[in-house]
Amino acid sequence: MSSIIVLGCMWGDEGKAKIVDFIGAEVDVVTRFQGGANAGHTIVLEGKKYVFHTVPSGILYPETQCVIGAGTVIDPLGLREEMQSLMLQGIDFTDRLFIDERAGLVLALHKQLDHKSEENLGTGKIGTTGKGIGPAYSDQAARCALRMGDLRYPEWLEQRLNNFYKYHQINLSASDYKEELESLLEVGKFLGPFMAQTDQMLRDWYKEGKKILFEGAQGTLLDLIYGTYPFVTSSHTVSGGVCVGTGFPPRWLDRILGVFKAYTTRVGAGPFPTEIEGPLADQIRHKGNEYGSTTGRPRRIGWFDAVAAQYSAALNGLDSLAITLLDVLTGLPELKICHSYIKHNQVLPGFVSHPIELNEVQPEYLTLPGWDIDISNIQTWKALPKETKQYLEAIQDLLKLPVKIVSVGQDRHQTIVIKEKV
Ligand code: IMP
């Protein structure tokens, strides 16, 4: 029996889904533990592109059990749409997709509140995905949220919906209220057969010897507490979030794999010490298709930040690294990796998460030679150009962790597993 967490370790969009999909061949269960439809997990399989928002990326393997854990927040109408679109693509998930009945619901009002608060904040906005994530998690903490399991009990649902609007001091017209209630009851009938108390299932599966993969969404630097607050999401994206978000005991977590892009990106506002702008950023953005899968927004681009990465590795207790989108760097004459932050001519001891401090740091870089050879079809460490190896080794040395997987293209087969090193 074994369990593995696969986490995005920077500001999200590290290509986790590709890695989850790749490892997915060896696991029996894939579980989401936090976040919601703010995620956009893209998998390309035999040239066909699939984008998942709430459904775990393991769904493409016909035998894999997929769990949407209690720590997620779910837009029930959006999830139904996502499931129906998968069905249309011939993906059958009968008896292998389970939604925890304690997951919070994202309702239409949450999305409106998300947009409104961004509008009110003006230039100080967070740059959210607009999917209602912050308001949905706030309501859970305020105990006025509806949960997945509520959809199964019409009278209780009516009472909870009433309380929800009372809490928000909104007097919904009788017809709007009726319309929303009916739509929730209807979607509840669709989702009902998939609902379960998934914590018990996960523990039982683990004891039966099944391999469980916990799939992170967003990234460590977007964690509600440990990220670059307030420019963060509203869930716990760190490895510690797995236990609360799924009811899986911490003692049973075996391995933690951290996914990093070969460079760094960020969507939305907030400090980004290694950010680059101009033609070089445009070139990387274009080649890496760095546009949000959920919102289509262009992503901000920067060099690999080993200071932030060290913080993330320590916080999550990483065992090993997966480096993605390495092929995007092909053709650049030289590459940079930030190895320390300087402030007032002093090297800082490590990462600083306060936005004021993070905006003030001066990144210090290692400069490494680039490579010209197309690496997108290379299958072994040995066959990589020496400059590519040098780049990966620099990351490895700075993080003091082994690079185990390297992704050199979107497709499942464009992945190098590093067993042997020179
Ligand atoms: P929210 O999660 O929609 O509330 O957005 C909060 C912050 O997290 C914003 O900066 C978003 O751009 C960022 N964010 C949310 N989901 C993702 C993601 O899947 N990838 C990258 N950034 C994300």
Side-chain angles (χ1 to χ4, degrees):
M1 56 194 175
S2 71
S3 62
I4 180 167
I5 308 178
V6 178
L7 289 174
C9 288
M10 298 295 279
W11 283 288
D13 307 315
E14 295 89 354
K16 298 171 288 289
K18 149 93 196 248
I19 302 299
V20 169
D21 176 66
F22 184 74
I23 302 176
E26 292 165 25
V27 304
D28 304 297
V29 185
V30 178
T31 305
R32 280 277 306 265
F33 59 93
Q34 45 70 230
N38 46 351
H41 292 166
T42 309
I43 297 178
V44 178
L45 186 56
E46 284 153 19
K48 195 167 169 198
K49 187 168 163 181
Y50 300 86
V51 182
F52 304 106
H53 296 287
T54 306
V55 172
S57 305
I59 205 80
L60 295 180
Y61 287 101
E63 304 295 326
T64 303
Q65 314 278 357
C66 289
V67 172
I68 304 173
T72 61
V73 284
I74 299 174
D75 164 5
L77 307 178
L79 176 58
R80 176 175 59 187
E81 216 174 282
E82 195 174 331
M83 288 163 70
Q84 284 171 335
S85 133
L86 283 171
M87 285 168 175
L88 284 175
Q89 292 176 84
I91 294 160
D92 182 12
F93 40 77
T94 324
D95 296 331
R96 67 179 187 97
L97 175 65
F98 304 95
I99 308 164
D100 199 281
E101 56 188 33
R102 289 153 299 192
L105 294 189
V106 179
L107 300 185
L109 180 64
H110 292 133
K111 293 188 212 169
Q112 289 162 22
L113 291 173
D114 196 355
H115 285 288
K116 193 82 205 145
S117 90
E118 287 286 271
E119 231 176 83
N120 292 344
L121 287 170
T123 52
K125 70 180 180 181
I126 308 292
T128 71
T129 59
K131 297 289 176 184
I133 304 299
Y137 276 117
S138 306
D139 279 355
Q140 276 201 301
R143 291 160 296 188
C144 71
L146 277 70
R147 306 207 297 182
M148 205 43 144
D150 296 341
L151 297 176
R152 289 186 289 142
Y153 301 101
E155 278 175 28
W156 173 254
L157 179 69
E158 189 167 356
Q159 198 185 320
R160 291 298 298 160
L161 194 61
N162 228 318
N163 288 353
F164 172 75
Y165 282 110
K166 272 192 198 151
Y167 175 85
H168 284 284
Q169 299 181 327
I170 289 175
N171 240 333
L172 215 58
S173 73
S175 64
D176 284 350
Y177 179 80
K178 189 165 170 264
E179 196 182 315
E180 180 157 26
L181 186 62
E182 279 170 4
S183 125
L184 288 174
L185 285 168
E186 197 197 316
V187 76
K189 282 192 195 127
F190 177 86
L191 296 175
F194 300 94
M195 290 184 208
Q197 293 211 10
T198 61
D199 59 316
Q200 187 62 50
M201 297 169 77
L202 289 167
R203 291 190 298 267
D204 289 346
W205 282 330
Y206 184 77
K207 282 196 259 177
E208 284 164 22
K210 295 213 158 92
K211 292 184 183 148
I212 303 177
L213 184 154
F214 297 94
E215 174 183 23
Q218 292 82 47
T220 298
L221 302 181
L222 290 173
D223 182 88
L224 179 60
I225 293 180
Y226 297 100
T228 47
Y229 189 90
F231 304 101
V232 293
T233 189
S234 298
S235 66
H236 297 294
T237 57
V238 292
S239 57
V242 166
C243 300
V244 179
T246 61
F248 196 74
R251 285 172 187 277
W252 293 359
L253 293 169
D254 299 317
R255 281 183 299 149
I256 309 176
L257 173 69
V259 186
F260 292 86
K261 226 174 246 192
Y263 46 95
T264 309
T265 60
R266 170 161 212 178
V267 228
F272 186 178
T274 64
E275 183 164 18
I276 42 181
E277 282 167 291
L280 179 59
D282 293 343
Q283 188 185 335
I284 296 175
R285 184 178 301 111
H286 179 71
K287 195 157 172 209
N289 191 24
E290 296 294 358
Y291 299 91
S293 332
T294 303
T295 57
R297 290 178 293 177
R299 296 178 185 143
R300 296 157 69 192
I301 311 286
W303 294 117
F304 189 92
D305 183 344
V307 180
Q310 282 159 353
Y311 168 74
S312 179
L315 198 54
N316 290 311
L318 299 185
D319 298 307
S320 57
L321 312 172
I323 306 292
T324 61
L325 288 117
L326 188 62
D327 54 302
V328 172
L329 298 182
T330 303
L332 298 185
E334 57 175 32
L335 304 169
K336 291 182 187 230
I337 296 179
C338 163
H339 60 80
S340 38
Y341 289 169
I342 306 278
K343 195 175 157 185
H344 306 315
N345 294 323
Q346 301 261 312
V347 176
L348 297 185
F351 187 70
V352 284
S353 57
H354 195 286
I356 296 282
E357 291 168 13
L358 201 50
N359 268 330
E360 285 173 350
V361 300
Q362 195 68 43
E364 281 275 294
Y365 292 104
L366 284 177
T367 302
L368 296 159
W371 60 88
D372 272 331
I373 301 164
D374 176 13
I375 58 168
S376 60
N377 284 308
I378 288 182
Q379 295 284 307
T380 62
W381 167 263
K382 230 174 166 173
L384 284 171
K386 87 170 183 312
E387 295 82 1
T388 320
K389 288 183 197 161
Q390 210 178 327
Y391 186 74
L392 291 171
E393 277 164 350
I395 293 178
Q396 197 165 250
D397 292 348
L398 284 161
L399 268 63
K400 298 187 176 59
L401 284 168
V403 174
K404 286 281 169 81
I405 299 177
V406 179
S407 172
V408 289
Q410 281 194 316
D411 221 282
R412 207 182 260 174
H413 76 270
Q414 292 175 296
T415 313
I416 305 173
V417 179
I418 303 179
K419 294 192 186 105
E420 88 304 0
K421 290 235 176 82
V422 279

